[in-house]
């Protein structure tokens, strides 16, 4: 019997809105740079690839608040170099990062609120397990999500990051449930799937873009499918 459902945050519950390219272009204009979204958008795949390379090399930056902030800043500095404003990389990166510390620069996927309400009505405890900086709880509060969750475990606060099973163990301990009675929902088969599996938790991957069908774990296309999956 499932007693608790854990959730990842980024790309599972929330996404940047305005997009990073839009925010970057706005900040650039405010700082006197003649750049538009069209100038920035082509560099987004390179920014994502930069993050993935750093994460695969050593993702332990998520294990401290300072390291978590640094990876955000490094990504934005990298875009500045690509966009030809390397001389203002530090100032640009700080301003873009400051914007995304606030809830008004994030949006919930349309399926989030309904899924969380249904799971709560079913009597399940809910938690968050996320590779994020120490501001995660405040961000969830800004987004009016915090009341849904009985535990919020951020890698930067506890010093462990997914896929280390310890971060999942800590969430289960805080909720007072056995790992075998918990499910974890996230978008990354490596961090979310492998980490939850190693902790003895049932992983479910939300695959919004049809890219993870062969990941080896249970897959849902939308969070709306999660409550039904748990009843099967």
């Amino acid at each position: 019997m499932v007693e608790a459902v854990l959730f990842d945050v980024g790309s599972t519950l929330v996404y940047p809105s305005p997009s990073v390219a839009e925010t970057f272009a706005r900040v650039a204009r405010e700082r006197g740079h003649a750049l538009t979204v069209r100038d920035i958008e082509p560099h987004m795949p390179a920014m994502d690839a930069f993050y993935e390379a750093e994460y695969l090399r050593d993702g332990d930056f998520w294990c401290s608040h300072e390291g978590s902030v640094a990876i955000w800043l490094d990504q934005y500095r990298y875009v500045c170099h690509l966009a030809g404003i390397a001389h203002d990389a530090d100032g640009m990166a700080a301003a873009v990062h400051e914007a995304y510390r606030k809830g008004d620069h994030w949006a919930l996927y349309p399926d989030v609120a309904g899924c969380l309400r249904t799971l709560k009505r079913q009597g399940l405890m809910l938690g968050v397990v996320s590779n994020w900086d120490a501001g995660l709880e405040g961000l969830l509060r800004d987004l009016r999500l915090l009341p849904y969750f009985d535990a919020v475990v951020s890698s930067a606060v506890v010093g462990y990051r997914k896929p280390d099973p310890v971060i999942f163990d800590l969430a289960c301990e805080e909720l007072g449930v056995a790992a075998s009675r918990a499910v974890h929902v996230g978008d990354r088969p490596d961090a979310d799937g492998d980490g939850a599996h190693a902790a003895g938790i049932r992983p479910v991957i939300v695959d919004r873009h049809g890219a993870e069908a062969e990941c080896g774990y249970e897959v849902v296309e939308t969070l709306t499918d999660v409550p039904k999956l748990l009843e099967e």
Side-chain angles (χ1 to χ4, degrees):
M1 179 184 294
V2 176
E3 296 180 358
V5 182
L6 309 174
F7 288 90
D8 172 51
V9 175
S11 299
T12 298
L13 300 178
V14 306
Y15 62 94
S17 179
S19 70
V20 174
E22 290 170 327
T23 298
F24 210 99
R26 174 185 61 77
V27 171
R29 289 194 303 272
E30 291 172 353
R31 297 181 66 84
H33 305 298
L35 294 174
T36 68
V37 174
R38 288 186 178 182
D39 297 315
I40 302 301
E41 190 66 48
H43 302 307
M44 292 296 97
M47 185 188 77
D48 293 340
F50 173 88
Y51 168 78
E52 288 296 328
E54 290 297 298
Y55 177 78
L56 293 174
R57 182 176 65 82
D58 182 7
D60 282 352
F61 49 75
W62 285 124
C63 294
S64 71
H65 181 67
E66 295 76 15
S68 301
V69 170
I71 190 61
W72 296 114
L73 295 175
D74 286 347
Q75 291 178 80
Y76 303 145
R77 290 190 189 102
Y78 182 52
V79 174
C80 287
H81 283 266
L82 296 176
I85 53 171
H87 61 285
D88 193 24
D90 288 344
M92 283 287 304
V96 173
H97 176 257
E98 180 63 24
Y100 285 109
R101 293 181 64 238
K102 305 166 187 173
D104 62 3
H105 273 61
W106 297 89
L108 307 184
Y109 288 102
D111 52 9
V112 170
C115 173
L116 298 181
R117 284 197 298 266
T118 299
L119 294 175
K120 293 299 277 188
R121 282 198 297 266
Q122 292 176 348
L124 297 171
M125 288 182 289
L126 303 182
V128 162
V129 178
S130 183
N131 290 346
W132 207 278
D133 63 43
L136 179 58
E137 190 166 314
L139 178 63
L140 294 174
R141 181 178 292 108
D142 286 349
L143 292 168
R144 300 181 180 179
L145 285 180
L146 193 60
Y148 286 108
F149 296 111
D150 304 288
V152 175
V153 180
S154 161
S155 60
V157 172
V158 300
Y160 296 93
R161 54 97 175 179
K162 299 180 297 185
D164 192 323
V166 174
I167 192 171
F168 295 94
D169 295 339
L170 292 171
C172 288
E173 182 178 330
E174 187 168 341
L175 291 171
V177 299
S180 61
R181 294 184 177 273
V183 170
H184 176 71
V185 182
D187 69 298
R188 293 188 63 122
D190 54 357
D192 297 299
D194 295 348
H197 179 73
I201 295 170
R202 175 182 171 187
V204 174
I205 303 301
V206 58
D207 182 18
R208 300 183 186 280
H209 306 292
E212 307 295 352
E214 306 301 322
C215 70
Y217 298 113
E218 291 178 276
V219 172
V220 294
E221 295 180 356
T222 170
L223 295 184
T224 304
D225 296 330
V226 171
K228 294 180 288 185
L229 183 68
L230 301 186
E231 293 175 351
E232 295 176 358

